[in-house]
Amino acid sequence: MPVHFAGRHLALITALTLAAVPAVAAHPTSAGLMIASATSAAPASIGAKAAVMAGDGKLLRKGSNGWTCMPDNPATPGPDPMCFDKGGLHWAMAWMAHKLPTPSTIGFAYMLAGGVDASNTDPFATKPAAKWVRTGPHLMILNAAVAEGSPYPSREAKPDTSKPYVMFGGTPYAHIMMPTN
């Protein structure tokens, strides 16, 4: 009887803990949680020394390796923290400001926690036409004019996110999505 009682309590504690974790991780609000969310986007060796910037541009932590990470976007229904190198950050800042990127170099970005986007074809969509585009862990090659001439599918509203494909094809924000699983 004591084992059964303990097992029920352990199951209840586990269920309550698992139920609470996504709520905290999905939409971090404190600086510490935003930093943890942001750095989860990249390999630990990059995230540990990366600068961390909130979605509003506020610097949460200085970095020392040329990478900048951003936490999950609370406007989407799933985790989507990102980590950019210098070229990737330039692309991201232009995209977020709805300005044309002026690439001088290819940029790289990690989204190892995956991502959720309103559209694969409209860089500024805030709500999906039908369903959110969910991607697993991936890296992105940004500022890549070669994306339009790549062999990867482009301009697909519902891409096969298990294979490389072009996101935002036909726009200045076209980039190659590379799944890591």
Side-chain angles (χ1 to χ4, degrees):
M1 181 91 160
V3 172
H4 180 63
F5 179 74
R8 283 189 0 212
H9 280 311
L10 181 58
L12 178 61
I13 290 168
T14 302
L16 290 173
T17 301
L18 290 174
V21 170
V24 172
H27 305 299
T29 54
S30 74
L33 289 175
M34 284 194 280
I35 290 169
S37 169
T39 58
S40 73
S45 60
I46 291 175
K49 295 181 180 179
V52 176
M53 181 173 37
D56 63 4
K58 178 182 175 187
L59 186 65
L60 300 173
R61 182 181 83 185
K62 289 184 180 181
S64 62
N65 64 358
W67 287 80
T68 302
C69 299
M70 299 178 77
D72 170 62
N73 177 357
T76 64
D80 48 15
M82 301 178 256
C83 226
F84 304 95
D85 70 356
K86 185 178 178 180
L89 182 62
H90 174 80
W91 177 93
M93 298 306 284
W95 170 58
M96 288 186 282
H98 294 230
K99 295 182 179 179
L100 291 176
T102 53
S104 58
T105 183
I106 286 178
F108 293 93
Y110 285 102
M111 289 185 74
L112 296 183
V116 181
D117 296 287
S119 172
N120 190 59
T121 58
D122 179 354
F124 305 116
T126 57
K127 300 284 184 211
K131 290 177 20 179
W132 290 90
V133 178
R134 294 181 182 270
T135 55
H138 60 279
L139 62 91
M140 297 179 287
I141 302 171
L142 308 165
N143 294 334
V146 70
E148 286 304 310
S150 78
Y152 307 119
S154 181
R155 299 188 181 122
E156 292 183 6
K158 297 176 184 174
D160 179 350
T161 61
S162 68
K163 305 185 260 194
Y165 65 96
V166 174
M167 184 172 211
F168 304 147
T171 77
Y173 308 97
H175 60 280
I176 299 171
M177 301 281 286
M178 304 283 293
T180 59
N181 287 350

